[in-house]
Amino acid sequence: MSTHPNRMSQSAQAGVPDGAENVASATATGDVCGELATGGEREALARRIRELGEWFHNMNLRGEWTAPGHFLGDFPNVKWKHIAPAIPADLAGASVLDIGCNGGFYSIQMKRRGAGHVLGIDVDERYLSQARFAAETVGLDIEFRNCSVYDVDQLAGQFDYVIFMGVLYHLRYPLYALDKVVKKVGSRLIFQTMIRGSEETREWEKNYHFWNKEIFQNAEFPRMFFIEHSYANDYTNWWIPNRAAAEAMLRSAGLEILAHPESETWICEPRNATRDGQYVLDLELAGKL
């Protein structure tokens, strides 16, 4: 996809609930993953965690935290605890694709719920190494692979659950990527993006005449903010939608929004992803949309 590794990964400002910036000094409280390590085993575990570089996913691996000084505290668990109730507790046999898997937190959570084949993809080898280590440490069989979101439609088959969190706003071509992701969704898409601007929504007309400029002055109208240079010291932040634009893009891609468990996350189902047997992306590229 891109040469910059962070574009496939949940970045340091990856959609944390309001006020979370004040939890930098908080002690992480997420579930312990795996049986507690003791003595020399724990020392070796801590050393290996450090050797794998800086972690963005703060996980408790057998009693050792991967990012104990994380400025967001207990992240991603601080976000997951709001999303988890919207996902079945029993995922027995379900297939899962985690796009932009980073250190593997979400892949691990889905596997712990009994999912069958779980595939996490990212373009950052450091994060993939961390994810593989985390899964192995807690005894979970999860596949991690280097793959771009722009190549996701080349993966075989569909997945019951597709996780697409913390990635969209890092993409120079976000709707193109979303249209590709939709092709892989067999049942549910768990989607998250950073939101800026208005978080209010309302019903809009299906069409407006050419001279109606007033709608574009309304903060609630769907809009995307383009970042030419950098935002939050991250030049991979390209496009950031307001809530209305995020939801409009999901609908435009043929998804129906089923739940909105927290301010920046939606659970969706592909209801109108194809037209006459063809996906939206294919129709667009063929000039038939």
Side-chain angles (χ1 to χ4, degrees):
M1 109 181 223
S2 129
T3 56
H4 195 284
N6 289 336
R7 290 186 183 173
M8 263 298 263
S9 308
Q10 289 88 349
S11 73
Q13 71 284 348
V16 179
D18 291 342
E21 64 272 18
N22 298 319
V23 302
S25 61
T27 300
T29 57
D31 294 340
V32 173
C33 292
E35 181 180 352
L36 284 175
T38 58
E41 185 182 31
R42 186 160 182 172
E43 292 177 5
L45 177 59
R47 182 170 60 254
R48 183 57 180 150
I49 288 173
R50 292 193 299 270
E51 290 173 350
L52 287 169
E54 183 178 0
W55 293 63
F56 187 63
H57 281 182
N58 188 23
M59 295 177 283
N60 188 339
L61 302 180
R62 303 187 61 198
E64 284 295 320
W65 291 97
T66 57
H70 203 303
F71 81 106
L72 296 175
D74 191 17
F75 181 86
N77 192 59
V78 68
K79 201 163 194 70
W80 174 251
K81 65 183 181 181
H82 298 288
I83 301 168
I87 301 171
D90 183 1
L91 293 175
S95 57
V96 177
L97 173 63
D98 184 3
I99 302 171
C101 62
N102 201 286
F105 176 89
Y106 296 112
S107 294
I108 288 173
Q109 293 299 329
M110 299 297 273
K111 191 67 176 182
R112 291 175 72 188
R113 292 181 176 225
H117 179 216
V118 178
L119 171 61
I121 64 172
D122 209 300
V123 294
D124 189 327
E125 283 295 338
R126 173 167 61 95
Y127 288 143
L128 288 168
S129 295
Q130 291 174 352
R132 292 184 185 110
F133 173 75
E136 180 182 352
T137 299
V138 300
L140 295 176
D141 182 16
I142 302 174
E143 179 186 2
F144 293 100
R145 189 186 306 177
N146 191 314
C147 179
S148 161
V149 65
Y150 295 126
D151 295 324
V152 73
D153 57 334
Q154 301 303 309
L155 296 174
Q158 290 186 317
F159 296 79
D160 297 312
Y161 288 84
V162 175
I163 300 172
F164 188 40
M165 300 181 64
V167 178
L168 185 89
Y169 47 93
H170 289 300
L171 303 175
R172 190 171 176 89
Y173 308 108
L175 194 56
Y176 177 63
L178 179 61
D179 283 343
K180 287 203 164 203
V181 169
V182 168
K183 289 186 171 187
K184 296 290 101 183
V185 183
S187 178
R188 296 289 186 272
L189 173 70
I190 305 169
F191 171 81
Q192 182 270 332
T193 180
M194 187 197 311
I195 295 294
R196 290 296 181 265
S198 174
E199 296 188 23
E200 302 298 322
T201 60
R202 51 164 284 189
E203 291 291 328
W204 296 94
E205 299 294 334
K206 299 297 183 181
N207 183 46
Y208 291 90
H209 64 74
F210 183 79
W211 296 111
N212 185 337
K213 300 180 182 180
E214 290 76 16
I215 55 171
F216 300 105
Q217 303 301 319
N218 191 317
E220 298 175 13
F221 194 77
R223 62 178 68 180
M224 293 276 279
F225 299 95
F226 177 69
I227 311 300
E228 182 180 1
H229 298 296
S230 180
Y231 177 67
N233 296 315
D234 188 343
Y235 67 86
T236 75
N237 288 319
W238 284 103
W239 292 95
I240 308 176
N242 63 4
R243 177 181 170 182
E247 295 185 353
M249 284 193 294
L250 292 171
R251 292 190 297 267
S252 177
L255 297 161
E256 179 171 328
I257 297 171
L258 303 179
H260 185 42
E262 63 98 43
S263 63
E264 297 182 338
T265 304
W266 293 261
I267 311 294
C268 306
E269 180 181 31
R271 290 281 181 90
N272 301 294
T274 61
R275 304 176 188 179
D276 297 324
Q278 290 186 283
Y279 282 95
V280 170
L281 176 63
D282 299 324
L283 290 170
E284 170 66 14
L285 295 179
K288 298 179 180 179
L289 188 62

